[in-house]
Amino acid sequence: MFGKKKLKPLKIGLVGLGKIAVDQHIPSIRANPGLELVAGCSPNARPDDVKAYNSLEEMLAAHPEIEAVAICTPPQIRHTIARQVIAAGKHVFLEKPPAATLGEAEAIADLAKAKGVSVLASWHSRFAPAVETTRQWIAARTIKSIHVVWKENVRQWHPGQKWIFEAGGMGVFDPGINSLSILTRIVAEKVVVKKADLHIPVNCEAPIQVEMDMTTESGIAIRADYDFLQTGIQTWSIFVESDSGEKLELNMGGTGLIINGTEIMKEKEAEYPGLYAHFEKLVRAGQSDADFSPLRVVADAMLLGKRIAAPEYIE
């Protein structure tokens, strides 16, 4: 008997060679035998062992064999870059959030469909090990309430990244959207924003703290508390309570799970390898995964939210 024909690795280029590319994208691509990192581009960054160019145009001109491009830039410029990538006939992997606005994200998906290329809106937190178990637990019960608590220190996790507090940078929603990507996965219904308090530093354009109330059509009460000034222990947790009083805690960004006081799961983070395996399958199947529901929740909060002046933010 003849074995299956071995597929050639999918050849990938990177746009943006900063911290997220170095910490997650580059090692995840190189660890996957179905993928090959060909080159990257950035005006300044030059990671070790990556053939780097100053621009996307230079990279694609030098490497026409590139089949897919992962865009790891700040969200404000992703739409422009994605248009160029799609026009060149390449598949697109969008770092989260997929774009600065919901309109831009939807335009990217439409362009990819028209061109016949795959696009992935890469909500990496959905690939955390405890998320699917949580989704199944919720599906088997009548849920009373959900409380999202996502608090971290911006100075620790985003040092020098001024773009995060500029228009389109989303502020605390940049990490907070990870919780919303989990929330919109584990809850089957649409999540509707009812109220949001946006604390925006007087020298910034995006919130540093947010308190938000949401609901589902069936009436599940959802509260979210986001803070970019957390000191001490960082908190990335979602608390769920059923009508019968059962309690679930999804913690550490989805790597830990406690049900009714008993620890069920405690795993290491391994989200990006799963994301890239998913991306490879999409490309080979000629499919896309362009779910923008987490971005829609942020857009609704920014539209509906009450803007509250916060003290000046100093790096």
Side-chain angles (χ1 to χ4, degrees):
M1 292 181 65
F2 295 99
K4 290 183 178 179
K5 183 179 179 180
K6 187 176 179 180
L7 297 172
K8 293 182 179 179
L10 180 69
K11 298 181 184 297
I12 296 180
L14 290 177
V15 180
L17 297 172
K19 180 175 173 56
I20 192 66
V22 171
D23 291 350
Q24 300 291 353
H25 290 261
I26 293 171
S28 296
I29 293 170
R30 286 179 169 163
N32 188 327
L35 306 174
E36 178 186 343
L37 178 59
V38 176
C41 61
S42 168
N44 302 305
R46 292 293 182 269
D48 292 340
D49 301 324
V50 176
K51 188 175 292 185
Y53 297 85
N54 291 323
S55 68
L56 172 65
E57 292 83 359
E58 289 183 24
M59 181 179 74
L60 294 182
H63 298 280
E65 73 274 19
I66 287 175
E67 300 167 272
V69 174
I71 303 175
C72 311
T73 65
Q76 293 95 328
I77 57 175
R78 286 196 191 127
H79 176 239
T80 298
I81 295 169
R83 286 178 60 89
Q84 294 176 268
V85 171
I86 293 167
K90 315 298 182 182
H91 307 287
V92 184
F93 181 119
L94 297 166
E95 179 55 74
K96 67 84 191 167
T101 70
L102 184 58
E104 287 184 349
E106 290 174 341
I108 292 170
D110 289 346
L111 288 168
K113 184 177 181 179
K115 191 69 174 180
V117 298
S118 298
V119 60
L120 170 63
S122 65
W123 304 113
H124 63 83
S125 290
R126 289 182 175 178
F127 287 78
V131 170
E132 284 307 296
T133 301
T134 298
R135 184 183 66 81
Q136 293 166 12
W137 189 91
I138 288 174
R141 290 161 177 81
T142 300
I143 301 303
K144 176 183 178 182
S145 65
I146 299 174
H147 186 194
V148 177
V149 182
W150 225 256
K151 300 183 177 184
E152 65 179 56
N153 186 349
V154 64
R155 296 181 177 94
Q156 175 182 345
W157 298 100
H158 299 276
Q161 296 181 13
K162 294 181 180 179
W163 61 264
I164 209 164
F165 284 118
E166 296 173 354
M170 299 190 187
V172 73
F173 276 127
D174 181 80
I177 205 169
N178 290 331
S179 73
L180 295 173
S181 72
I182 295 174
L183 179 66
T184 52
R185 174 60 184 167
I186 62 178
V187 175
E189 304 171 272
K190 283 192 179 296
V191 174
V192 178
V193 177
K194 306 302 289 186
K195 178 184 176 184
D197 288 338
L198 313 173
H199 301 265
I200 303 175
V202 293
N203 62 331
C204 298
E205 298 176 84
I208 200 164
Q209 294 167 318
V210 173
E211 298 89 40
M212 182 163 61
D213 293 318
M214 298 167 280
T215 188
T216 66
E217 288 300 309
S218 66
I220 299 174
I222 305 172
R223 169 76 176 190
D225 293 301
Y226 300 115
D227 190 350
F228 236 167
L229 298 174
Q230 178 83 335
T231 57
I233 297 174
Q234 311 286 277
T235 307
W236 303 287
S237 297
I238 298 178
F239 303 89
V240 184
E241 184 174 356
S242 73
D243 271 0
S244 63
E246 293 180 284
K247 295 183 179 180
L248 176 148
E249 177 185 345
L250 183 70
N251 55 40
M252 295 307 297
T255 60
L257 182 62
I258 298 172
I259 297 178
N260 298 323
T262 300
E263 185 173 75
I264 303 299
M265 189 181 301
K266 188 176 182 180
E267 303 286 345
K268 292 182 178 180
E269 178 188 328
E271 299 168 1
Y272 278 83
L275 260 181
Y276 269 101
H278 181 49
F279 182 56
E280 182 193 356
K281 289 180 181 178
L282 289 172
V283 171
R284 297 200 189 281
Q287 300 174 347
S288 290
D289 182 354
D291 175 19
F292 302 131
S293 54
L295 184 59
R296 178 186 55 78
V297 175
V298 173
D300 287 353
M302 298 292 276
L303 181 65
L304 183 68
K306 177 182 178 182
R307 298 171 67 92
I308 301 170
E312 179 180 358
Y313 173 70
I314 301 173
E315 176 66 33

